[in-house]
Amino acid sequence: MEWSTAVWTGGVAVAAAVYWFVWVMGAAEVKGKSAVDLKMGSISDDKVKDKYTQYWSFFRRPKETATNASSAEKVPAFVDTFYNLVTDIYEWGWGQSFHFSPSVPGRSHREATRLHEERVADLITARPGHRILDVGCGVGGPMRAIAAHSGSQVVGITINEYQVARARAHNKKAGLDSKCEVVCGNFLKMPFENASFDGAYSIEATCHAPHLEDVYAEVFRVLKPGALYVSYEWVTTPLYQAENPEHVETIQGIERGDALPGLRAEDDIASIAKSVGFEVVQEKDLALPPAGPWWTRLKMGRIAYWRNHLLVCVLTALRIAPKGVVEVHEMLYETARHLTNGGETGIFTPMHMILCRKPVKASEEEN
């Protein structure tokens, strides 16, 4: 082979590899993000690293954040910062549903996720004519699945403006913008009238609240009498031992890397729901057998991690992605390690399901 031909062939191969590696690799699904579209939400490129540093410093001691009143007031703003930092990375590698689901034999992750979301609609008996609330909707993956499955009108609330824009764009692309509405707001103080929803759900979202009773009280307020609410909660299980340093490291790693002001214990959830007036209909850890492991998606091999890490570094060097993306990617990888360990040891579950009902007589004092 002539030298010029070899050089030309090598150049084409390199160009093809770069095209695949940078422009193609990483689109989680047809309508998801690609690697070159990584942004940091509404944070300007020159502020990303500073915002990441502020976030990491704030959540360095999660339990103190939950118990300190002045820190607790700052949690919503830092949760907003967190989702500015991670939303595009989540969409790139995860898709439009920012939550876990039990693995299902013979089903893809995407199919298992859809089944997990449709279970929510069935639990709260959502149907055509119902107005359903999604508490912490993210970019709306569950919202669209539930609206399509149940025929209900679904209203989602998220504190992050960038996610609102992403969710609305996805709703339109899916042809579900007439069924799905997205509102920017804090689920600790929602902009909805009393008794204005026929049902509600939260999927791995209320873990961001410093005090769970504050979210549950708001959900209780906006539900109609007799309406159902289901939540998938992140909690420590009875296997967690506070005196075990490895257990503590795992749980704190999950808290720091996911903007959580302290995880709650599984045994506390029902009493919190009852304290705001709910009747507890059912409570179950959906991660327990016969459910398949939920953490399988996180067990990324070293080759896959370094491939993604190299891509992020290249994009940052080329200024396609802003400075700070590398640090955020490293944080999420480390958090995935803690989550995996939490699942394998059984000390943590992200899908403790609690189904509640607002009593029919509950609204008599409200009206």
Side-chain angles (χ1 to χ4, degrees), residues 28-29 31-33 83 87 89-101 109-118 134 136-146 163 167 170 201 203-204 234 297:
E29 51 190 70
K31 297 172 184 174
K33 279 278 181 179
Y83 279 111
T87 290
I89 294 178
Y90 277 7
E91 275 203 63
W92 170 43
W94 202 259
Q96 297 170 19
S97 295
F98 298 173
H99 64 81
F100 297 104
S101 61
H109 290 308
R110 187 175 180 182
E111 290 172 325
T113 296
R114 178 179 53 78
L115 292 172
H116 193 54
E117 293 166 349
E118 290 177 352
D134 183 330
C137 65
V139 299
M143 171 193 302
R144 288 181 287 279
I146 288 167
Q163 289 189 336
H170 287 310
Y201 65 88
I203 302 179
E204 302 181 29
W234 282 31
R297 295 180 73 181

Side-chain angles (χ1 to χ4, degrees), residues 133-139 142 156-159 163 187 190 201-206:
L133 175 63
D134 183 330
V135 183
C137 65
V139 299
I157 184 168
T158 173
I159 200 168
Q163 289 189 336
F187 59 33
M190 295 189 283
Y201 65 88
S202 50
I203 302 179
E204 302 181 29
T206 56

Side-chain angles (χ1 to χ4, degrees), residues 8 11-12 14 25 29 39 45 48 67 79 101 112 124 143 167 170 245 257 271 288 299 315 343 345 367:
W8 184 86
V12 171
V14 169
M25 193 197 79
E29 51 190 70
K39 300 180 179 66
D45 289 0
V48 170
T67 55
V79 170
S101 61
I124 61 174
M143 171 193 302
H170 287 310
S271 60
L288 293 176
K299 300 194 75 169
L315 293 174
T345 58
N367 296 328

Side-chain angles (χ1 to χ4, degrees), residues 220-242:
F220 186 90
R221 178 183 67 81
V222 302
L223 282 179
K224 295 178 181 179
L228 293 165
Y229 166 57
V230 66
S231 184
Y232 293 169
E233 295 289 345
W234 282 31
V235 296
T236 57
T237 74
L239 294 178
Y240 172 68
Q241 299 172 0

